[in-house]
Amino acid sequence: MSIFSRASAVTAFVMATAATPALAATVYNTSLQNLNGAAGTSTYTTTTNASGTTTTVVGPGPNADANRAHGMPVLNSWYQDNVGAGTTVGITTNYARNGNGSAYFNQTQAQTGKADLQYYFGSNGAVSPIALSSLTSYSYDYLRDASSTATNYLTPVLRLNILKDGVFAGTLIWEAAYNLGTGPSATNTWLTGSGDLNTGLFWTNNALLGPTNATAGGTKTLAQWIADNAGSQLSVYGIQVGFGSGWDGTFTGAVDNVNVAFGQTAYSSNFEVATAAVPEPATWAMMMLGFGAMGAALRSRRRAKVVFG
């Protein structure tokens, strides 16, 4: 079980220190963790090939944290987390966006699937929460594959990991259905969710922040969440992109270009698949000379005569 699934563990892990600016980063599939093992009734395996890196969880479920694969919490690096039975997550070339890849999500078993890619802000070896009130913008690109049979408005989501007065308070979640309506989502095309403190609606999965029912007064702008928690400090200690937890049907989708900015501090990630390095022209020339020398040596050997005394 992830240490971040327990409020006390999160509080113990998080140490409030000043955040440092992070430059826009290309996140390669090879940076993901190699997760292989068992969790409850599930087993999980990580595979890397020319198409990218994926972690797949196999098992009957049910949809419970004990049956999910969790990477080791790390700072300033994306990793696989909360990966449920019948689910695959990774970085692959299946849906190229800006470059050759994107974050990949797939569910083959209704109700049991869930998967996230997680990123924690860190400085000097400690988690570095940032005041939610300092957020200036957020955006991410997402895609739903037309083969998905889950309810037709479901798409990958963006979550902000929240502390309230230094205590774990779940996540605030941007979901297309509560921003664009519950009509069918466009499929096989990239869409963008974006906004700032005053634009875009979020709901929460933790009652410490307020109503957790997104359709009963629990969907608000970030500014309204701050106002409704007046007298308390809300801070962001990380970002998640993911899907699922009780979704019906099957689902396949992708995420790329995740951007969250707090004033001059920006966290931007473009997911790509690492490719073999192509030799520079000078290297090619040296290789050709080497091949020529090898050929000459082989021809010389063929002409050599063996003389017996």
Side-chain angles (χ1 to χ4, degrees):
M1 179 180 294
S2 167
I3 65 170
F4 289 95
S5 63
R6 295 178 181 271
S8 59
V10 175
T11 304
F13 184 76
V14 174
M15 299 174 61
T17 57
T20 55
L23 299 177
T26 298
V27 182
Y28 288 108
N29 64 300
T30 49
S31 69
L32 294 178
Q33 296 181 15
N34 188 28
L35 306 181
N36 297 282
T41 60
S42 300
T43 58
Y44 50 92
T45 305
T46 299
T47 302
T48 297
N49 54 38
S51 298
T53 298
T54 55
T55 297
T56 298
V57 178
V58 176
N63 184 21
D65 188 70
N67 300 319
R68 296 174 180 167
H70 298 280
M72 179 64 67
V74 292
L75 302 177
N76 304 317
S77 181
W78 291 92
Y79 70 94
Q80 314 94 303
D81 202 10
N82 305 312
V83 190
T87 300
T88 297
V89 63
I91 300 174
T92 73
T93 57
N94 293 61
Y95 304 96
R97 181 54 168 162
N98 292 104
N100 70 355
S102 62
Y104 172 80
F105 302 91
N106 175 258
Q107 169 179 299
T108 60
Q109 294 175 195
Q111 306 302 324
T112 66
K114 173 177 171 57
D116 300 323
L117 289 182
Q118 173 71 59
Y119 185 100
Y120 291 114
F121 308 149
S123 177
N124 301 319
V127 171
S128 302
I130 308 171
L132 178 60
S133 60
S134 68
L135 185 145
T136 51
S137 66
Y138 62 85
S139 66
Y140 76 113
D141 298 339
Y142 62 92
L143 177 147
R144 174 185 169 118
D145 189 279
S147 66
S148 303
T149 63
T151 301
N152 58 18
Y153 56 73
L154 294 174
T155 60
V157 306
L158 172 71
R159 305 186 191 97
L160 303 178
N161 301 113
I162 301 295
L163 298 175
K164 180 175 181 178
D165 297 328
V167 176
F168 173 74
T171 62
L172 287 171
I173 306 156
W174 192 99
E175 189 168 354
Y178 301 112
N179 285 274
L180 305 177
T182 55
S185 172
T187 59
N188 294 345
T189 187
W190 285 96
L191 304 170
T192 300
S194 64
D196 53 30
L197 284 179
N198 297 296
T199 59
L201 300 175
F202 287 74
W203 63 281
T204 188
N205 57 7
N206 191 300
L208 190 62
L209 294 176
T212 58
N213 189 329
T215 59
T219 308
K220 315 168 191 177
T221 65
L222 294 175
Q224 190 61 57
W225 281 108
I226 294 170
D228 289 351
N229 284 272
S232 294
Q233 175 67 42
L234 300 186
S235 55
V236 184
Y237 65 90
I239 314 165
Q240 290 178 0
V241 289
F243 83 103
S245 191
W247 283 16
D248 61 326
T250 62
F251 180 81
T252 303
V255 166
D256 205 5
N257 299 324
V258 180
N259 303 283
V260 180
F262 303 87
Q264 298 302 308
T265 303
Y267 298 87
S268 300
S269 299
N270 173 34
F271 300 106
E272 302 290 357
V273 173
T275 58
V278 177
E280 295 294 328
T283 304
W284 275 116
M286 292 300 292
M287 290 171 64
M288 294 304 291
L289 286 172
F291 292 149
M294 289 172 62
L298 288 171
R299 289 192 297 273
S300 177
R301 288 183 181 180
R302 291 192 189 103
R303 290 195 298 267
K305 295 182 179 179
V306 178
V307 178
F308 296 95

